[in-house]
Amino acid sequence: MSADTDSVPDVMGLDHTTVTGWGRTAPTAARLIRPQTYEEAAAAVRDCGVRGGIPRGLGRAYGDAAQNAGGSVLDMTGLDRVHAIDADGGTVLCDAGVSLHRLMEVLLPLGWFVPVTPGTRYVTVGGAIGADIHGKNHHVSGSFSRHVLAFELLTADGEIRTVIPGTPLFDATAGGMGLTGVILTATIRLQPVETSLMSVDTERASDLDDLMARLAATDHRYRYSVAWIDLLARGAATGRAVLTRGDHAPLEALPARLGRDPLAFRTSRLPAAPSLFPEGLLTRTTVGLFNELWYRKAPRARSGQLQRISAFFHPLDGVPHWNRVYGRGGFVQYQFVVGYGREDALRRIVRRISERRCPSFLAVLKRFGESDPGWLSFPVPGWTLALDIPAGLPGLGAFLDELDEEVATAGGRVYLAKDARLRPELLAAMYPRLDEFRDLRAELDPHGVFTSDLSRRLGL
């Protein structure tokens, strides 16, 4: 789940601190609790108080999903054990506080990879289920919950339940943003790999229609696919993009120097962004220059390039605290999906963002495959666009409200794990199984033990 904090206690204890999402907007104060055992987690749930509590992981959801103003926030990263690995069958049993980074460290030398990873590997397993994260391979592999064989859930009554796919509690928890209980452990089905490198194809697309045509025609050939899109380009270049696709490199594709240790997990790390970053750095001018350079330096067409897993999936993880580049005001990440057949809506939204000159240098377009079972799971078959925008951009709130209306009218939805400002009246139109979620929550947690700033804002 998500939150940045000013301080985190090293042992089980209480600490009143300011908590935000990765976007660093709308901070609220909460009592921070960091359980080290399942028993301490149960005690923390019992001691949440009248404002309730919400679990959180490594702080990478963007909005207020793991904030709880005046209440408790349960930092679950102290529960971080890998209990068992079935190296023959390709499964792992681990605590919910284990990060995807840690799983890669442990599993890659054994020839296994996590089934789904988002743009950061610093996400916990519990957060991955709670947000039902997706990655570059959704069109092939679906979201994270599709690969979860079972999890243990600590519910509001203090009971620990074993939850399996195909049950209402599983479907409410996958994408349920931590509001059904605290995930303690999970068993996950893994992806077999021969190496820790990726074979990557890169090409440019001249505009949005060109990009969509390339994706629709050839995505089935690739396990992973994503396009960086220039949202400041206008006119005939509107929606121009750099398309990057690939798969895990087979052993025979490696040169001799890499073949000696083909499953080594190699990462790189740059200096952290300074805590006090100059305000106003990300302007239309500076971002426009970056976008122009990024597009021009990309090859028109290149195939079979070998890249590290970290470079292909998680380039920003190499810059600790990169979210600081937006300054004190933080940023909003806006992600929506519209279904296949609603390409006109996507075109209109991209054109409006381009005409509005939103200074976004982190904008990606992907295709989703089949829907996932979670009642509040975000992916549905269609096109999803995600972009970062400085929160202080004049008129941003009203502009995004207008985009919300366009998305809802097109039968689409926004991603709750990245949301910080959606109006509650649009939620039911975007998530048609919302009433089922609310009914199950009312039955499972009648006193509202599990609550968050997100749940209060949207009436979840």
Side-chain angles (χ1 to χ4, degrees):
M1 303 296 290
S2 73
D4 268 0
T5 60
D6 291 335
S7 60
V8 177
D10 292 329
V11 297
M12 173 69 172
L14 306 180
D15 183 22
H16 291 77
T17 189
T18 300
V19 181
T20 76
W22 189 247
R24 305 176 77 201
T25 59
T28 55
R31 184 179 65 161
L32 200 65
I33 308 173
R34 191 172 191 257
Q36 303 289 318
T37 65
Y38 306 145
E39 292 77 17
E40 289 182 356
V45 170
R46 290 194 299 270
D47 191 35
C48 277
V50 295
R51 293 284 288 180
I54 192 71
R56 79 175 269 261
L58 285 168
R60 294 305 180 106
Y62 288 77
D64 53 3
Q67 298 175 216
N68 185 22
S72 298
V73 171
L74 280 62
D75 180 343
M76 298 301 295
T77 57
L79 292 170
D80 59 356
R81 292 168 294 176
V82 177
H83 293 282
I85 299 170
D86 180 352
D88 295 323
T91 63
V92 62
L93 169 63
C94 63
D95 283 344
V98 172
S99 70
L100 299 191
H101 174 84
R102 177 60 181 153
L103 286 183
M104 292 176 197
E105 287 183 321
V106 172
L107 296 170
L108 269 169
L110 302 176
W112 297 100
F113 189 62
V114 295
V116 171
T117 178
T120 174
R121 60 186 180 273
Y122 296 111
V123 174
T124 63
V125 167
I129 298 170
D132 201 13
I133 61 171
H134 57 271
K136 297 176 175 67
N137 60 339
H138 190 278
H139 63 291
V140 173
S141 302
S143 64
F144 195 87
S145 67
R146 197 180 297 185
H147 307 272
V148 175
L149 303 179
F151 57 80
E152 289 183 307
L153 185 72
L154 173 64
T155 50
D157 56 8
E159 182 179 346
I160 297 177
R161 306 169 188 238
T162 299
V163 184
I164 61 174
T167 62
L169 189 51
F170 187 99
D171 294 346
T173 303
M177 308 310 298
L179 295 170
T180 60
V182 179
I183 298 171
L184 299 176
T185 69
T187 302
I188 305 159
R189 184 175 55 247
L190 304 171
Q191 168 69 34
V193 296
E194 295 183 10
T195 75
S196 62
L197 294 170
M198 305 297 296
S199 177
V200 181
D201 294 353
T202 305
E203 59 189 283
R204 287 192 216 163
S206 59
D207 57 32
L208 182 60
D209 284 339
D210 181 30
L211 173 61
M212 288 193 293
R214 291 171 187 254
L215 284 166
T218 60
D219 246 14
H220 64 279
R221 302 177 189 169
Y222 298 89
R223 180 175 295 275
Y224 302 100
S225 178
V226 67
W228 170 87
I229 184 169
D230 182 0
L231 291 176
L232 282 174
R234 291 184 290 181
T238 299
R240 68 179 181 177
V242 177
L243 179 55
T244 307
R245 294 178 287 188
D247 208 334
H248 299 278
L251 187 59
E252 61 266 21
L254 270 57
R257 63 183 178 81
L258 296 175
R260 288 189 290 270
D261 192 7
L263 290 166
F265 181 39
R266 302 175 180 90
T267 63
S268 58
R269 195 172 180 87
L270 298 174
S275 57
L276 295 176
F277 217 87
E279 295 290 331
L281 182 66
L282 299 181
T283 65
R284 294 181 177 96
T285 300
T286 59
V287 173
L289 178 61
F290 171 87
N291 286 3
E292 180 69 25
L293 293 173
W294 191 260
Y295 181 77
R296 294 298 175 189
K297 86 175 187 65
R300 293 185 181 276
R302 180 178 60 197
S303 61
Q305 182 191 27
L306 294 178
Q307 291 184 8
R308 295 178 181 180
I309 276 175
S310 58
F312 181 76
F313 289 107
H314 316 118
L316 287 175
D317 282 348
V319 185
H321 305 294
W322 63 264
N323 56 339
R324 294 174 180 170
V325 303
Y326 292 88
R328 292 185 182 276
F331 68 100
V332 172
Q333 176 149 125
Y334 186 69
Q335 184 169 8
F336 67 90
V337 58
V338 293
Y340 297 126
R342 307 308 300 262
E343 285 79 10
D344 283 349
L346 177 63
R347 292 186 185 97
R348 284 194 301 271
I349 292 171
V350 168
R351 188 164 53 249
R352 291 185 65 179
I353 294 170
S354 173
E355 292 170 350
R356 183 69 162 66
R357 307 291 288 158
C358 291
S360 176
F361 71 95
L362 294 174
V364 296
L365 184 73
K366 293 181 293 208
R367 296 173 79 245
F368 281 157
E370 295 180 6
S371 299
D372 298 293
W375 293 343
L376 298 185
S377 183
F378 170 64
V380 294
W383 305 91
T384 180
L385 177 66
L387 60 148
D388 293 351
I389 312 172
L393 190 70
L396 179 61
F399 178 65
L400 293 181
D401 284 347
E402 293 172 3
L403 296 191
D404 289 341
E405 296 280 359
E406 181 120 31
V407 169
T409 300
R413 59 183 56 166
V414 300
Y415 191 14
L416 297 184
K418 296 183 177 178
D419 176 58
R421 25 81 36 217
L422 179 68
R423 302 195 315 276
E425 58 266 26
L426 290 178
L427 190 65
M430 293 180 172
Y431 289 90
R433 304 195 72 173
L434 177 63
D435 284 343
E436 293 176 73
F437 178 81
R438 286 170 169 161
D439 290 345
L440 185 142
R441 273 203 72 206
E443 179 181 346
L444 190 66
D445 183 10
H447 302 295
V449 171
F450 295 109
T451 190
S452 66
D453 291 354
L454 174 78
S455 71
R456 278 188 288 267
R457 175 169 59 84
L458 294 179
L460 290 172

